[in-house]
Structure formats: C-alpha cells, structure tokens
C-alpha cells in the first residue's frame, strides 16, 4: 500500500476523544456519589432472590373477582389522571395568558413592557416554577396526610404539578409562534383574548394539543406511581400485592398497566397524526 492510498485521519477524532474523556471525568464522581453498583444484580444471592420472586409471576392471577377489582382500579387510575389534567388546564390557561409577553398590550409601540405588567407576569411565572418544582409524588405524599387515602390526593397532586408544567410550556409555545397576526390585532384595538384566539392560537394549536395529550399520557403513568403512597387506583393495588408477595396478582396488574400505557400512547399518536 502506497502512502497516497492510506485513509485520511478523521479531523474531528481528537475532539471526540477529548469530549468523551471530559464526560467520563464529570460522570464518574456522580456515579460514585449515587452509589451506582450494577454488578450487585449479578450476585448469587440477588439472582436467587430475583428468580424466587419472578417464579411466582406465572401463571398470572385470572380469577373473575380479581379481574373485576383490577378493572375498577384501572378506571380509577384513568379517572384520576383525566380529572387532574382537567383541573391543571383550568389553572394553566389563564396563567398562560398572563405570562405570555406576546399578548402584552403595553409593549406596543415602544417594545417595552410596563413595569406593573412585568411585575405581574414575573409573579405568575414564579408561581408556575413553584408548582412544577414539586413532583406530583411529593404533592401526593403531603395531600394524603391532609385529605386521607384515596384518589382525591392524586387528582390534586396531578393538578398542581401539571398546572405548572402546562402553563410554562404553553407560554413558550405561544412566544415562539408567528407574532404578525397577534401584533396586528392588538394594534387595531383588539383585546388580549381576541388576539389569543384569532392571532396566536391558530398557528400554535397543533403543538399545544400535541403537548397536552402527551401530558395526559404522562398523568396516567404518574397516577399509577402515586397509588403506591395511598392515592388509590392501580398503583395502590400493586403495592398491596407486593407487600403480600403475591407475584401472580402483580403480574396481571403489570400486564394491565402495560396495555393501559400502550392504549394511551396509541390515542396520543392518533391525535398527533390528525393534527399534523
């Protein structure tokens, strides 16, 4: 092989190696601090306990009485997620209208927002930060001690956290939309609501609905997790079966949970295709 036929060296090779080394240097202390030890899973005692537990999964529980209980818990989970999302939307939409600078009337002409309007807008944004900073599981833990066990705690927990998430993302989506229609309406004397419905919303509707459906799908998964802290639904039944080491019941509920998330994903994908 002659020198001219040798392959050329990738000019970005050194940069890639350097980037990988930097990532490892940063990641390694975090893994140590998190006590990440995946090799424990391959320990003989861990493997024996895993096999002993998984062996109870087959055959899954399929008695009529148990399946009726699972069906009721599943619908309770869906109702919890849907009710929580509805309350979240009722709180997020008005806060979005306040937090979105695109809908500010005081900025017309000068491009600067009035101090009082900016103060209110920042206060609303801080409320949204507070709501979404606390995970729904933590809200559920607090609310269970206030309202007691049951779906009420889960509904309120989803409403609080998802209100913060929806309000923030909705405002970002509206801010990134085409400003021409909204600005023209505001300059010609239109109110904020009219500018929102006829100016900002038409160009952002697809993205807003897509994100809302995705969050509803996440709320269903979150409802199951919150059941482990006493918020009711499928998660609470799974927690009870785990405490009793009833692997057959747990296997049935895991299958139902997988089907539930798959159905929610299917509905989400269908709506996205129609919007597209």
């Amino acid at each position: 092989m002659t020198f001219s036929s040798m392959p050329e060296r990738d000019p970005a090779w050194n940069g890639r190696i350097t980037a990988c080394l930097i990532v490892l240097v940063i990641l390694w202390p975090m893994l140590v601090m998190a006590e990440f030890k995946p090799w424990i899973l391959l320990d003989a005692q861990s493997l024996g306990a895993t096999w002993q537990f998984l062996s109870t999964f087959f055959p899954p529980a399929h008695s009529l009485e148990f399946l009726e209980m699972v069906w009721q818990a599943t619908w309770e989970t869906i109702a919890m997620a849907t009710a929580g999302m509805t309350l979240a939307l009722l709180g997020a939409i008005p806060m979005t209208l306040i937090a979105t600078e695109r809908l500010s009337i005081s900025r017309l002409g000068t491009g600067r927002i009035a101090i009082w309007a900016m103060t209110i807008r920042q206060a609303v944004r801080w409320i949204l930060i507070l709501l979404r900073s606390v995970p729904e599981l933590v809200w559920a833990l607090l609310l269970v001690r206030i309202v007691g066990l049951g779906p009420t705690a889960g509904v309120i927990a989803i409403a609080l956290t998802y209100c913060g998430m929806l309000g923030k993302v909705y405002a970002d989506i509206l801010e990134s939309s085409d400003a021409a229609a909204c600005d023209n309406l505001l300059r010609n004397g239109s109110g904020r609501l009219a500018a929102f419905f006829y100016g900002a919303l038409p160009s952002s509707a697809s993205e807003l609905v897509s994100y809302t459906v995705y969050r509803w799908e996440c709320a269903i998964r979150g409802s199951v997790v919150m059941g482990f802290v006493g918020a009711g639904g499928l998660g609470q039944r799974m927690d009870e079966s785990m405490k009793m080491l009833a692997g057959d019941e747990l296997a049935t509920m895991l299958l139902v949970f997988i089907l539930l998330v798959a159905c929610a994903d299917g509905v989400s994908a269908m709506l996205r295709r129609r919007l597209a």
Side-chain angles (χ1 to χ4, degrees):
M1 179 183 294
T2 62
F3 179 77
S4 60
S5 63
M6 293 180 63
E8 295 183 2
R9 185 177 179 181
D10 185 357
W13 176 255
N14 292 335
R16 294 194 183 101
I17 294 297
T18 303
C20 289
L21 291 175
I22 292 174
V23 169
L24 288 175
V25 169
I26 296 174
L27 183 61
W28 180 253
M30 296 182 181
L31 293 175
V32 173
M33 186 176 296
E35 298 183 5
F36 182 66
K37 302 175 182 178
W39 54 87
I40 295 178
L41 296 173
L42 302 178
D43 182 75
Q45 185 177 358
S46 298
L47 290 174
T50 301
W51 172 252
Q52 184 179 0
F53 181 59
L54 293 179
S55 62
T56 62
F57 276 43
F58 187 83
H62 54 276
S63 65
L64 182 60
E65 181 181 359
F66 177 73
L67 291 178
E68 288 178 351
M69 184 272 292
V70 171
W71 177 259
Q72 182 179 358
T74 301
W75 274 111
E76 193 174 81
T77 297
I78 296 174
M80 189 192 312
T82 306
M85 275 293 297
T86 303
L87 292 177
L89 284 169
L90 292 176
I93 291 175
M95 284 197 282
T96 298
L97 296 176
I98 297 174
T100 304
E101 294 184 6
R102 182 64 50 81
L103 299 174
S104 177
I105 299 176
S106 63
R107 68 179 177 83
L108 295 176
T110 62
R112 296 180 179 179
I113 302 175
I115 295 178
W116 61 269
M118 180 62 71
T119 302
I120 296 175
R121 184 165 289 106
Q122 288 302 319
V124 170
R125 286 187 174 273
W126 275 106
I127 292 173
L128 294 174
I129 291 173
L130 172 64
L131 292 175
R132 70 175 182 271
S133 296
V134 182
E136 60 266 36
L137 184 61
V138 177
W139 282 123
L141 280 169
L142 298 174
L143 290 165
V144 160
R145 286 156 177 77
I146 298 174
V147 301
L149 299 174
T152 301
V155 171
I156 300 175
I158 290 175
L160 291 173
T161 299
Y162 281 53
C163 177
M165 292 180 178
L166 293 173
K168 194 267 183 186
V169 176
Y170 284 175
D172 289 346
I173 291 174
L174 293 175
E175 291 288 0
S176 62
S177 64
D178 185 14
C182 189
D183 288 348
N184 288 333
L185 286 170
L186 291 174
R187 286 194 180 96
N188 286 280
S190 171
R192 290 167 58 88
L193 282 177
F196 168 71
F197 281 112
Y198 299 107
L201 186 59
S203 61
S204 307
S206 176
E207 196 172 354
L208 289 171
V209 174
S210 178
Y211 181 76
T212 303
V213 175
Y214 168 71
R215 271 297 154 198
W216 174 72
E217 179 187 333
C218 294
I220 291 178
R221 293 196 295 266
S223 298
V224 175
V225 175
M226 285 186 292
F228 282 85
V229 298
L234 194 60
Q236 188 168 341
R237 300 292 177 263
M238 292 175 68
D239 183 47
E240 293 170 357
S241 297
M242 289 183 66
K243 290 177 180 177
M244 295 186 297
L245 299 179
D248 56 341
E249 296 181 359
L250 187 59
T252 299
M253 286 185 282
L254 283 173
L255 291 173
V256 171
F257 180 42
I258 293 172
L259 290 174
L260 180 61
V261 174
C263 290
D265 183 69
V267 172
S268 176
M270 179 188 67
L271 290 175
R272 289 193 187 101
R273 284 196 300 269
R274 295 199 173 200
L275 289 170

